[in-house]
Amino acid sequence: MAKLKLQDIDTNEYPHINRGLEGIIAFSTTKSSIDGQKGELIYAGYNIDTLAENATFEEVCFLLWNDRLPNKQELDALKKKLIEERKVPDPVLDYIKNTNKDAEPMAVLRSATSMLADFAPEETGDSNQDYQNQAIAMTAQMPTIVAAFDRVRNGKEIVAPLKEGSTAFNFLYMLNGEKPGTQAENTMDLCLILHAEHGMNASTFTCRTICSTESDIYSAVTGAIGALKGPLHGGANTAVMNMLLNMDKQGEQADPVAFTKKKLANREKIMGFGHRVYKTFDPRAYHLRQKSKALSEETGHETLYEWSEAILETMKSEKNIDPNVDFFSATVYYSIGIKPDLYTCIFTMSRVSGWTAHYLEQAANNRLIRPRALYTGEKNLDWVPIDKR
Ligand code: CMC
């Protein structure tokens, strides 16, 4: 039989192929809702704008794991547990100390997260409770891993986690070796809130697929980190910052409008723009744009912000494409002194809450995820002995 070409497929005989699973509804979920036309994002009933203005990251974690906001007692209990779980087991720290200092931080975070499975919280016999405990442990330990690797690769002593303070505060403390100010803490907390959950994106789908085989939550999160790392997904924020820093190297010659037009003319993508679901401004980008403007002015990085706005205007006028979450988050992180190659790790430190919420949801009502592929190769070929090939 001749090789089947996609364009020759008789759609009456074969089912339609949705490349990239575009538009396919694979699950029902109570975790989040995205309206791509309106530019609306909801986490378990609450609009992202409401959460950005009022919530803390810890409250968002509780919301995603339980589908409701915690009362004061419940929030205090969660914060206490998150603090208790911050320490990373010594063998994982040994790995961080001994791995290649030039390794990508996301690769180190992926491998270290995988190792955490060997030191998971003691099982209770109630699988739902165990998944929750494991979700809390991973959410607490990821910032410790990221900060530890950054210090080790810069020849600095690892800073042990604090026994107090928010996830955002403790992360910045472990990273820099000094307690952050309120502005930096609030900025980090906002970023963690905005990145926590986002529907059936590639990494969440990966997490649910692994869960559907009844594999463990650490495997599911490790796989999800691998998916998030790519530049078409979470890796875009690092790429955005590198683009702006390369422009900065050109000094007076830098021309963001000409740069953007040239890229588009070459049919190249500008990172931090476009989205599979949003066909308008990503609501998370509104908050980050405001933050980026305010922080850039305060820290003397106005030029980076102005270039971002010039790129945004050019993308809008040339292609009618809006920015996504990764565009302004880059300059926000830069303004609070975080190195570009850590940006996707911060995305991970936040998204682990959404992934684990989806794991809990999938496990509670599981069905193996097993789609089909249309075979377009040949069939019934004659076997040719190796010396005749
Ligand atoms: N720069 C230039 N053109 C773009 C961009 C971009 N960033 N994004 C989309 N387009 C164009 C694309 O070239 C195509 O044009 P044409 O119809 O003329 O061929 C059209 O828009 C449709 O693009 P697509 O790639 O088919 O759309 P998609 O739904 O497959 O892609 C995307 C979504 C996010 C992969 C894509 O917009 C992209 O690659 N963006 C850059 C990477 C990025 O910022 N990723 C972060 C996504 S949001 C955070 C997250 O969830 O991880």
Side-chain angles (χ1 to χ4, degrees):
M1 185 185 164
K3 214 170 168 186
L4 195 58
K5 294 205 181 81
L6 276 180
Q7 63 266 32
D8 299 334
I9 289 168
D10 175 356
T11 46
N12 292 321
E13 193 181 342
Y14 294 102
H16 178 65
I17 299 175
N18 283 64
R19 291 188 71 230
L21 298 182
E22 184 161 358
I24 300 284
I25 309 283
F27 311 97
S28 64
T29 182
T30 55
K31 303 304 163 192
S32 64
S33 154
I34 305 170
D35 186 325
Q37 302 301 326
K38 278 206 262 173
E40 178 188 81
L41 170 61
I42 287 168
Y43 292 177
Y46 295 88
N47 193 293
I48 193 67
D49 300 333
T50 308
L51 295 170
E53 278 155 29
N54 299 288
T56 60
F57 175 60
E58 290 77 7
E59 276 175 298
V60 166
C61 289
F62 189 100
L63 174 66
L64 292 173
W65 291 330
N66 299 283
D67 289 332
R68 63 177 177 84
L69 287 174
N71 62 30
K72 187 170 180 328
Q73 252 180 337
E74 288 168 328
L75 182 60
D76 287 345
L78 175 60
K79 283 187 193 165
K80 188 165 171 275
K81 271 193 182 181
L82 282 165
I83 289 172
E84 281 165 8
E85 294 291 351
R86 281 176 181 168
K87 215 170 155 293
V88 164
D90 286 342
V92 180
L93 283 181
D94 288 344
Y95 156 68
I96 291 169
K97 286 178 196 158
N98 293 310
T99 194
N100 184 352
K101 308 277 173 286
D102 295 326
E104 286 179 78
M106 273 298 275
V108 175
L109 179 56
R110 182 198 56 219
S111 302
T113 301
S114 179
M115 283 184 80
L116 291 177
D118 303 349
F119 308 93
E122 207 175 315
E123 295 198 353
T124 61
D126 171 351
S127 61
N128 189 54
Q129 187 58 54
D130 290 339
Y131 299 148
Q132 293 238 13
N133 291 344
Q134 291 160 355
I136 291 170
M138 273 188 279
T139 307
Q141 289 166 318
M142 278 188 184
T144 314
I145 292 168
V146 176
F149 179 62
D150 190 57
R151 292 193 66 87
V152 166
R153 70 178 176 161
N154 287 299
K156 295 180 184 161
E157 285 293 313
I158 290 175
V159 175
L162 289 167
K163 293 193 172 66
E164 59 185 9
S166 68
T167 304
F169 185 92
N170 175 57
F171 171 63
L172 292 172
Y173 166 74
M174 292 187 295
L175 193 65
N176 301 319
E178 57 188 52
K179 293 186 177 175
T182 314
Q183 162 103 299
E185 180 189 4
N186 290 347
T187 301
M188 181 54 61
D189 198 51
L190 174 71
C191 291
L192 294 176
I193 292 169
L194 295 177
H195 288 85
E197 163 59 14
H198 208 236
M200 208 35 58
N201 55 82
S203 56
T204 303
F205 184 73
T206 305
C207 174
R208 287 190 80 131
T209 302
I210 295 174
C211 174
S212 84
T213 69
E214 295 189 0
S215 185
D216 64 288
I217 197 167
Y218 288 90
S219 297
V221 170
T222 303
I225 298 175
L228 186 71
K229 182 172 173 286
L232 294 190
H233 194 2
N237 50 17
T238 297
V240 169
M241 200 63 234
N242 289 337
M243 170 179 79
L244 292 170
L245 291 176
N246 279 334
M247 225 174 259
D248 198 34
K249 282 191 201 137
Q250 296 169 12
E252 305 253 303
Q253 308 294 315
D255 184 344
V257 175
F259 169 87
T260 309
K261 285 187 177 170
K262 190 171 166 205
K263 282 264 203 191
L264 293 177
N266 293 338
R267 300 197 66 76
E268 288 175 60
K269 284 190 170 165
I270 302 281
M271 293 293 124
F273 283 87
H275 202 275
R276 178 61 65 76
V277 184
Y278 293 120
K279 297 306 163 205
T280 182
F281 220 94
D282 180 332
R284 302 166 298 176
Y286 274 115
H287 294 275
L288 292 164
R289 185 190 200 178
Q290 281 174 9
K291 257 290 174 231
S292 172
K293 184 172 191 301
L295 286 172
S296 305
E297 281 164 7
E298 269 177 47
T299 55
H301 295 124
E302 291 99 330
T303 319
L304 295 176
Y305 176 75
E306 282 157 16
W307 289 342
S308 304
E309 286 290 343
I311 295 170
L312 185 150
E313 268 176 42
T314 315
M315 285 298 279
K316 193 69 190 164
S317 59
E318 297 287 311
K319 286 283 274 187
N320 196 24
I321 297 181
D322 290 297
N324 57 52
V325 72
D326 288 323
F327 190 60
F328 285 108
S329 63
T331 37
V332 167
Y333 294 138
Y334 191 75
S335 295
I336 57 167
I338 296 176
K339 294 177 200 84
D341 66 353
L342 295 183
Y343 297 176
T344 317
C345 293
I346 298 172
F347 195 152
T348 313
M349 283 159 36
S350 162
R351 186 57 60 84
V352 62
S353 60
W355 291 330
T356 48
H358 278 274
Y359 185 98
L360 282 155
E361 191 174 51
Q362 180 71 29
N365 185 18
N366 188 38
R367 181 158 167 82
L368 178 72
I369 295 168
R370 205 308 184 186
R372 303 276 312 264
L374 178 64
Y375 176 66
T376 57
E378 291 173 279
K379 287 184 176 172
N380 302 323
L381 295 174
D382 291 330
W383 179 253
V384 181
I386 195 150
D387 55 340
K388 301 246 167 70
R389 282 176 220 159

